[in-house]
Amino acid sequence: MQLNKDQIHTSNQAGLSRHAARFDFLAAQLGEDGTDVEGIVKALADFQVAIPSWALGAGGTRFGRFSFHGEPANLEQKMADVGILHALTQTAGAISLHIPWDIPTDYASIRQLAQAHGLVFDAVNSNTFQDQAGQDLSYRHGSLCSTDEAARAQAIAHNLEVVRIGDQLGSKSLTVWLADGTSFPGQRSFQRALQNTEDSLRQIYAGMPKDWSLFIEYKPYEPNFYSTVIQDWGTSFMLANACGERAYTLVDLGHHLPNCNIEQIVSTLMLKGKLGGFHFNDSKYGDDDLTVGSIKPYALFLIFNELVYGMRNNPQNPYPAWMIDASHNVKDPLEDLIQSLEAIQEAYAKALLVDQAALAAAQDAHDVVLCQEILQGAYRTDVRPLVQRARLQLGGALDPLAAYRSLGIRQGLVAARGKHSVASGL
Ligand code: LRH
Ligand code: MN
């Protein structure tokens, strides 16, 4: 199923004049404050988020999984779904694959298909948190941290195989997330586990092409519930420094203990030139992988405020990789992802409205009240007309969710794929 521009153009007609009125009103207001409205619209249009190949079907927990029907059953169908998201939102121009869930069989046709959908391949993800059928050695007692040298070698070889697969697709980065850890005190030596992990990551780093980046993702717990080798940003940062200048920390928003100040972590990593990228989602308690901006939208705005500052003032940090990492238990996966993309673009647009010079002056003057007024003034601005204009300029939908429903896309997918097709992934 592929959406064409005419279908989207037609679905936009009814809302165009209302959009124009709202955009002109907002642009006039912002113009009075000297805001570069066209500059913000361009920044939004250039902002592309990678969609995880493992989040296009129903997720699930150990307690159950409820299918959404018409799920993508193979890589080609997953790319078609990301193509639909990108056609509607014009901000989902990349897909992030997880290996071995998405190993291409015909690289040339997969590259052609990506081009047809306007997609590029973002970071590829390795998987040493599950044992695959026919695998020699188990990762039950760890992978890159394992006290068993053969198990470590197997895990290192898997990561280099993932790099080889990504390289044939044009990807330029590897994301390593390790479940490695313990569930009981005394179960394993913390120091040996960390040392083995560092040695293994250095071998993976050395085996990557010289224009590739390594993203090291941290997480405090789950599936282990007493310790995780790469538990926090500091450990990831330390390991990235041990590997080399093309190794960075990846921040998954759901991988923080309650009330952690993530925007401060982001600013620290950018200052040190070690922020590689993001897995955007939201959470109330743990690694809930909920819709971006659905629980803590202000926290997301504060993170983007640090990102905007960092992208303007920290040339030592590369342009971050933007990815979503979500899991869908109660929402149609594509509707959930559309809402996440909207929330990300709105947070970015609001952060671009922050008068950084005025904020810096208020900070220097210790005018705490004014600092908050400057931030919340931007946050309270309804930026949706700016996000819509960026989409319109690229041929996207004014209201992607409404278009998704009015064009009957889920029904079309069910008709094409049947009710019981199941997507590989989480
Ligand atoms: C771990 C994680 C990681 C992925 C997995 C699907 O919780 O965030 O990024 O490999 O989810
Ligand atoms: Mn993640």
Side-chain angles (χ1 to χ4, degrees):
M1 181 171 196
Q2 189 149 355
L3 275 181
N4 63 53
K5 294 251 184 227
D6 299 342
Q7 287 175 289
I8 295 173
H9 181 70
T10 309
S11 76
N12 284 340
Q13 294 318 299
L16 282 179
S17 58
R18 200 166 93 128
H19 161 70
R22 290 182 167 194
F23 179 84
D24 296 346
F25 175 76
L26 178 61
Q29 260 188 331
L30 296 175
E32 278 164 26
D33 309 337
T35 302
D36 172 13
V37 172
E38 281 319 312
I40 292 179
V41 171
K42 173 140 184 7
L44 292 170
D46 295 342
F47 193 85
Q48 296 296 319
V49 180
I51 304 296
S53 63
W54 60 92
L56 295 160
T61 70
R62 57 190 166 153
F63 304 107
R65 183 180 184 281
F66 305 94
S67 174
F68 279 96
H69 313 310
E71 294 185 15
N74 54 45
L75 180 54
E76 289 75 5
Q77 291 182 353
K78 289 181 177 185
M79 292 171 69
D81 284 10
V82 179
I84 288 169
L85 286 174
H86 191 44
L88 291 169
T89 66
Q90 291 298 321
T91 192
I95 184 170
S96 180
L97 301 189
H98 219 299
I99 308 294
W101 298 333
D102 310 300
I103 299 179
T105 47
D106 175 343
Y107 284 91
S109 75
I110 289 293
R111 283 196 297 268
Q112 263 165 12
L113 189 60
Q115 213 155 27
H117 290 302
L119 305 177
V120 297
F121 290 94
D122 205 296
V124 280
N125 299 264
S126 61
N127 177 343
T128 59
F129 51 85
Q130 296 170 328
D131 288 344
Q132 307 304 325
Q135 186 176 304
D136 298 340
L137 301 163
S138 170
Y139 294 133
R140 175 196 295 275
H141 298 300
S143 62
L144 299 184
C145 81
S146 177
T147 50
D148 173 359
E149 190 170 354
R152 292 204 302 276
Q154 178 183 273
I156 292 166
H158 164 71
N159 278 276
L160 294 176
E161 170 63 11
V162 173
V163 169
R164 197 187 59 73
I165 290 169
D167 204 33
Q168 295 180 78
L169 297 171
S171 173
K172 290 291 179 198
S173 50
L174 168 70
T175 295
V176 175
W177 168 68
L178 300 176
D180 293 12
T182 63
S183 282
F184 299 96
Q187 179 181 340
R188 189 171 303 133
S189 155
F190 293 137
Q191 294 197 0
R192 287 180 60 198
L194 183 58
Q195 193 57 63
N196 288 342
T197 301
E198 180 178 321
D199 296 346
S200 302
L201 286 170
R202 293 165 79 114
Q203 290 180 50
I204 293 167
Y205 182 85
M208 290 188 327
K210 295 301 170 250
D211 60 349
W212 270 58
S213 297
L214 174 62
F215 298 150
I216 302 172
E217 185 177 2
Y218 58 90
K219 183 174 179 177
Y221 71 94
E222 190 205 39
N224 283 293
F225 296 103
Y226 171 64
S227 75
T228 297
V229 177
I230 311 181
Q231 58 165 322
D232 60 11
W233 74 271
T235 308
S236 166
F237 177 70
M238 196 173 55
L239 291 166
N241 283 315
C243 287
E245 63 182 9
R246 288 174 290 106
Y248 304 94
T249 291
L250 186 139
V251 177
D252 184 313
L253 298 186
H255 293 184
H256 300 88
L257 297 175
N259 306 323
C260 178
N261 187 327
I262 304 174
E263 57 270 25
Q264 185 181 9
I265 293 173
V266 168
S267 71
T268 302
L269 289 170
M270 291 195 92
L271 179 62
K272 297 300 177 184
K274 280 297 183 188
L275 177 70
F278 279 86
H279 281 180
F280 291 115
N281 48 53
D282 210 338
S283 50
K284 178 74 176 161
Y285 301 105
D287 187 18
D288 310 341
D289 282 344
L290 300 175
T291 316
V292 181
S294 61
I295 308 289
K296 307 186 288 280
Y298 190 57
L300 182 69
F301 161 75
L302 293 175
I303 289 168
F304 268 94
N305 179 51
E306 295 304 330
L307 285 167
V308 167
Y309 179 88
M311 289 194 277
R312 289 180 186 161
N313 298 282
N314 305 137
Q316 67 273 31
N317 200 89
Y319 183 77
W322 316 111
M323 289 170 273
I324 290 174
D325 186 357
S327 176
H328 322 287
N329 300 328
V330 292
K331 292 180 179 179
D332 175 321
L334 297 183
E335 294 193 348
D336 197 336
L337 290 163
I338 288 171
Q339 289 185 312
S340 282
L341 291 164
E342 179 79 13
I344 292 168
Q345 285 209 304
E346 284 185 26
Y348 184 34
K350 289 173 188 257
L352 288 168
L353 289 180
V354 173
D355 183 337
Q356 296 286 347
L359 180 61
Q363 288 166 342
D364 292 346
H366 307 300
D367 188 340
V368 183
V369 171
L370 181 56
C371 292
Q372 181 175 321
E373 289 304 307
I374 292 167
L375 279 184
Q376 296 198 335
Y379 181 70
R380 291 175 179 141
T381 306
D382 181 357
V383 294
R384 288 175 292 183
L386 303 178
V387 175
Q388 287 176 332
R389 181 57 56 99
R391 273 198 299 265
L392 267 185
Q393 285 179 350
L394 295 169
L398 257 182
D399 183 338
L401 198 55
Y404 177 84
R405 291 186 172 192
S406 64
L407 292 167
I409 293 174
R410 179 53 60 186
Q411 295 80 354
L413 292 172
V414 173
R417 298 169 183 173
K419 281 191 77 168
H420 305 296
S421 57
V422 175
S424 62
L426 279 186

